[in-house]
Amino acid sequence: MAARLSRQCAFACTVLLVSYGDPRNAGASYGSNQTLISLVGSLEALGLDVEDEVLSLLSWLIPRLPEHEAGEIPFFGLAMLWFALGRPNQWNDAALLGLCEWIMVTEEAAKRRKSIGLGATGSWLVSGTGYDTHVDRWQKLGRRLVDRLDMRHGPDVREAVQLIGAMLA
């Protein structure tokens, strides 16, 4: 029963995320990080080897997110990091470091954007979004990022991942 519910949740979350990338639905997406963390949790519960597919989906979706979802973009980077760390042979250290840097830069931009309009509150990553009902799930993911590191990851990648995890947790 749990596997069935996880499959249904993963399917529904995937459909929602794909719909967020359709320009005809630009006004219909709000707080997409909440859908994204539900997808991550469902896929993890199922134990499927779908990292490449999820990375493709996220790479496709990020540039298509509507402007009002700009505060959500760092969450998508964090999810990409989660899945990329599960593919140590396919993501070299330079690519992982670039992704970590991109997450930090987009988080800062989201925080600045929000502080101009509404006043940024909350901890790292969450301060750039108004949709923080699943912050505990993102913090849990942050605490577990280091568990995704592999012996092949160099010290710079380890340090960057540990920093992101600590800032989120």
Side-chain angles (χ1 to χ4, degrees):
M1 180 67 148
R4 181 176 176 207
L5 290 174
S6 292
R7 265 192 310 279
Q8 290 173 340
C9 182
F11 175 77
C13 290
T14 302
V15 169
L16 280 171
L17 289 170
V18 169
S19 76
Y20 296 160
D22 186 335
R24 295 172 296 180
N25 297 327
S29 63
Y30 293 95
S32 54
N33 83 74
Q34 298 171 118
T35 304
L36 181 58
I37 195 64
S38 294
L39 175 63
V40 172
S42 294
L43 292 176
E44 186 178 19
L46 290 169
L48 299 175
D49 182 23
V50 293
E51 284 87 353
D52 294 335
E53 290 82 1
V54 176
L55 286 163
S56 292
L57 170 65
L58 298 177
S59 296
W60 172 83
L61 182 57
I62 289 170
R64 289 169 175 77
L65 286 172
E67 179 61 31
H68 71 269
E69 288 280 278
E72 306 299 294
I73 291 174
F75 291 95
F76 284 82
L78 185 58
M80 285 187 76
L81 180 61
W82 175 264
F83 289 107
L85 288 171
R87 308 305 276 173
N89 293 327
Q90 296 179 7
W91 282 67
N92 64 30
D93 281 3
L96 288 169
L97 285 171
L99 179 56
C100 289
E101 184 176 319
W102 182 81
I103 292 167
M104 302 291 272
V105 168
T106 58
E107 189 278 337
E108 185 61 35
K111 185 172 32 175
R112 272 195 313 266
R113 182 180 290 113
K114 184 161 183 206
S115 68
I116 292 169
L118 303 172
T121 60
S123 59
W124 184 83
L125 191 68
V126 179
S127 62
T129 182
Y131 304 97
D132 59 0
T133 58
H134 293 299
V135 65
D136 57 325
R137 294 175 75 186
W138 284 107
Q139 289 171 332
K140 181 179 177 185
L141 183 132
R143 286 190 297 273
R144 296 180 53 230
L145 268 177
V146 296
D147 297 338
R148 307 270 297 174
L149 288 167
D150 186 272
M151 294 305 296
R152 291 172 277 224
H153 294 126
D156 292 340
V157 170
R158 290 181 171 285
E159 183 179 336
V161 169
Q162 289 169 346
L163 175 63
I164 287 173
M167 289 172 58
L168 185 56

